[in-house]
Amino acid sequence: MTSASYPVPVDGLHHLSNETRVIATPWSRMVRGIGLGQYPIAYDPEGAARIRHAFDLLAAKGVEENAYARFSRLLADFVLDVGDPARPLRRADLEQRLGPILDAVRAGENPYFRLMAGCILMDAFAKLELDTTLLVNAGTDFPAEMLAVADTIEPDRIKDENAGRHGHYEKLSAYSAVFLALGQLGLEDRLVSGRRNHVREALGLLERIPAPFFRGRGGAMLLSVVSLLGFGRFIHGEGRDHLKEVLSYLDRADELNSPPAFPQPMSESFTKIYPLLTMLNAIAMSGRPEEYLTYGRDRLAEAKELLARITPVERTHMGLYYIIALHNLGRLDEEVPDLNALVEDIVGQWVHIDPGANYFLNGISYAYILQTAMLTGRTDLIGDKTLDRLVDGFPDLDRTDDDRVNRPYPFAYTLNVLAELGSSHLLFEPRDAYDGSTPIAWVIDRLSEGGRDEHRLYMLHHALVSHALRMRGPERGETPLFRDFPMRNRSLAGRPA
């Protein structure tokens, strides 16, 4: 059986929802926790049991000493119960269940993760179509509480290979998440009314991110969210144009000589194409592409040139960004006259890539390969050998301490995309590569006690919560925030698969 035989949530670019077009790539979902639960499907008791089993395994490893882990389990269980048609919940039930979830959010010591948890909860409320007064009432104003948390996020607190070089990148990302969450609840006017204009303040943080890579990648999502909320006047009004300023800053990358570090060596062209492609999507969201695509230089020509210069394995990461950006701009047919050939080249790289060689460059490449095939309607390019090679590759990440500690990173990406392909069961069934154990049990069993060493373990929680949120039922489709946003090529977007 090939994966084309499995049910998939979309069958081509013209069936993509607006949320997928804005937040198409797994990076935003797994790393930042925004856009979880895309492609809603019917409640699946077996799938729900797998999610709960995974959280049981994590709890047995002691990870729930961490408030974020507790929050994730409580929220996933709550979401699954709301989505289960056999368990109708009354308002009193929802209130009772919500209390421990809010406690877990507030117990987080790290303000960024506290805000991220709160935003995931608000986004879930919108997607589950729950009554907002459960979060905003005489006794509490949870959205305001989370917005205030952003003020406490300090610069250069991210602990990764670029520690000390981010500036206000994390705070900027937090603003993107909380703005989006408030918009999902229909509370976006709060951001620009009253004594503070939070949108203006967030845009002001762009110039406080020193590295062009991070200013472009983080700034693109903020600019997209601001456009989505209908506040584009703050981007290109009031005597300046923040989008043009970011593009100009990207053009100074060689002069500034502040390239990002990656877990594996990456080409110079990769460090340039990544922020550029995210900015192309922000340009599409702005509704003013003609004004920006030739600002400073021909941005589409630049993107095409850089895509040709990056390595084939790097192209598996960036191909999806490129295709979605061009589709959103309405320029895909013009820039890629033979889309099938490009997709076949990207997906076909799985034959040459060992997913267990390292946790980042190779380790997450298959997730991008599979999602590129799915979103372009080419799952016929994926067979059992592709999936087996991916699923069986995680023991190889014992090669170095760095790969071992970061194994949850590619495992989260893999769980996320296999769930979208209807194939997550492969991670929950015994396999020879794991000496008869299941991949999920094997990976979790090899975590440090309490998951203290694996600082990216939270990404696995995001994959599980997203999987649970998808089971809310196809009738709970796009939220009004995304559904009502005008985008190009909109004819079939947003319809349930």
Side-chain angles (χ1 to χ4, degrees):
M1 179 186 289
T2 67
S3 67
S5 303
Y6 305 149
V8 293
V10 294
D11 60 359
L13 294 171
H14 286 282
H15 286 164
L16 301 187
S17 68
N18 273 357
E19 183 177 21
T20 296
R21 295 173 68 180
V22 177
I23 312 171
T25 60
W27 181 87
S28 292
R29 289 178 276 157
M30 296 301 97
V31 178
R32 296 298 175 189
I34 61 174
L36 300 183
Q38 293 182 30
Y39 327 118
I41 57 175
Y43 180 79
D44 173 17
E46 291 184 1
R50 293 188 195 109
I51 293 169
R52 290 187 167 110
H53 174 62
F55 277 112
D56 286 343
L57 293 172
L58 288 164
K61 200 65 180 179
V63 304
E64 290 187 14
E65 293 180 17
N66 178 279
Y68 200 85
R70 292 198 306 276
F71 156 76
S72 299
R73 180 185 181 130
L74 289 166
L75 179 63
D77 204 45
F78 176 80
V79 166
L80 290 172
D81 282 351
V82 172
D84 185 353
R87 299 189 61 175
L89 300 178
R90 299 169 303 167
R91 183 181 178 93
D93 299 321
L94 297 172
E95 290 175 341
Q96 183 179 22
R97 298 284 297 278
L98 185 58
I101 298 174
L102 294 175
D103 290 343
V105 172
R106 291 163 176 152
E109 295 181 4
N110 182 307
Y112 179 80
F113 279 86
R114 190 160 68 247
L115 181 144
M116 186 160 60
C119 292
I120 291 172
L121 174 59
M122 289 186 279
D123 183 61
F125 252 69
K127 288 172 177 170
L128 292 168
E129 300 178 351
L130 296 177
D131 190 345
T132 305
T133 62
L134 289 164
L135 296 175
V136 183
N137 51 59
T140 189
D141 190 336
F142 186 73
E145 185 181 332
M146 289 300 103
L147 185 58
V149 173
D151 288 335
T152 68
I153 297 174
E154 300 177 359
D156 287 318
R157 296 290 172 169
I158 304 175
K159 296 178 180 179
D160 64 10
E161 56 276 353
N162 288 285
R165 290 187 265 177
H166 294 97
H168 282 277
Y169 177 61
E170 195 165 39
K171 188 171 186 176
L172 187 86
S173 297
Y175 270 128
S176 298
V178 76
F179 288 2
L180 181 58
L182 264 67
Q184 287 283 61
L185 296 179
L187 302 175
E188 62 269 22
D189 286 346
R190 288 187 175 195
L191 301 173
V192 296
S193 58
R195 63 184 183 84
R196 293 176 63 180
N197 185 310
H198 294 279
V199 171
R200 189 179 291 127
E201 290 180 22
L203 291 169
L205 291 176
L206 286 167
E207 57 194 11
R208 300 176 70 181
I209 301 173
F213 178 88
F214 294 111
R215 188 179 298 191
R217 186 170 72 171
M221 183 52 66
L222 176 67
L223 293 164
S224 294
V225 170
V226 171
S227 293
L228 179 70
L229 296 176
F231 297 138
R233 63 188 182 277
F234 297 113
I235 295 175
H236 45 72
E238 303 183 326
R240 62 188 302 185
D241 190 317
H242 292 280
L243 207 157
K244 287 182 178 179
E245 289 176 15
V246 174
L247 290 172
S248 295
Y249 200 72
L250 293 183
D251 294 343
R252 297 177 57 200
D254 292 338
E255 167 201 340
L256 295 167
N257 192 27
S258 182
F262 290 98
Q264 283 81 48
M266 308 294 279
S267 69
E268 180 183 352
S269 295
F270 182 87
T271 68
K272 292 180 178 179
I273 193 172
Y274 197 152
L276 173 61
L277 294 181
T278 61
M279 286 299 295
L280 289 182
N281 220 33
I283 289 172
M285 291 291 295
S286 75
R288 303 154 65 105
E290 294 76 13
E291 185 173 345
Y292 296 112
L293 288 178
T294 56
Y295 177 74
R297 60 183 67 174
D298 186 332
R299 301 293 166 178
L300 296 182
E302 179 186 20
K304 181 178 291 188
E305 178 187 356
L306 289 170
L307 189 74
R309 282 164 40 188
I310 59 179
T311 67
V313 66
E314 291 172 341
R315 199 172 297 118
T316 65
H317 290 233
M318 291 294 100
L320 182 60
Y321 285 83
Y322 184 66
I323 291 168
I324 294 295
L326 292 179
H327 175 62
N328 288 345
L329 288 164
R331 302 290 290 271
L332 183 58
D333 291 344
E334 177 183 339
E335 295 294 319
V336 187
D338 192 346
L339 177 61
N340 279 327
L342 176 60
V343 173
E344 288 166 8
D345 176 66
I346 292 169
V347 177
Q349 292 303 317
W350 76 266
V351 177
H352 310 291
I353 297 172
D354 174 7
N358 52 67
Y359 80 87
F360 174 70
L361 179 58
N362 287 35
I364 66 173
S365 64
Y366 272 51
Y368 281 102
I369 285 171
L370 295 176
Q371 197 152 58
T372 298
M374 183 183 77
L375 296 189
T376 57
R378 292 301 312 273
T379 53
D380 60 293
L381 300 174
I382 304 167
D384 288 344
K385 290 183 179 179
T386 315
L387 301 186
D388 288 342
R389 192 174 191 191
L390 169 60
V391 170
D392 291 339
F394 293 98
D396 292 338
L397 293 177
D398 277 339
R399 291 172 178 171
T400 70
D401 288 342
D402 193 39
D403 286 321
R404 176 185 54 77
V405 169
N406 286 287
R407 185 157 35 209
Y409 191 138
F411 194 79
Y413 271 66
T414 299
L415 174 58
N416 178 69
V417 74
L418 289 184
E420 292 170 354
L421 287 168
S423 306
S424 62
H425 61 90
L426 296 174
L427 299 174
F428 292 82
E429 297 170 349
R431 298 184 68 88
D432 292 342
Y434 298 88
D435 297 324
S437 182
T438 66
I440 186 82
W442 190 95
V443 167
I444 291 175
D445 185 57
R446 281 155 180 78
L447 297 175
S448 61
E449 189 58 35
R452 295 184 185 91
D453 295 341
E454 292 83 5
H455 65 282
R456 285 175 164 134
L457 180 58
Y458 73 93
M459 293 169 60
L460 179 53
H461 294 117
H462 286 171
L464 291 166
V465 169
S466 187
H467 191 11
L469 191 53
R470 289 185 61 223
M471 290 188 217
R472 65 189 183 271
E475 69 280 3
R476 295 185 176 114
E478 270 199 303
T479 59
L481 177 67
F482 285 99
R483 186 181 63 239
D484 298 340
F485 185 77
M487 291 188 76
R488 294 171 182 259
N489 308 320
R490 181 60 181 166
S491 59
L492 295 175
R495 295 183 182 178

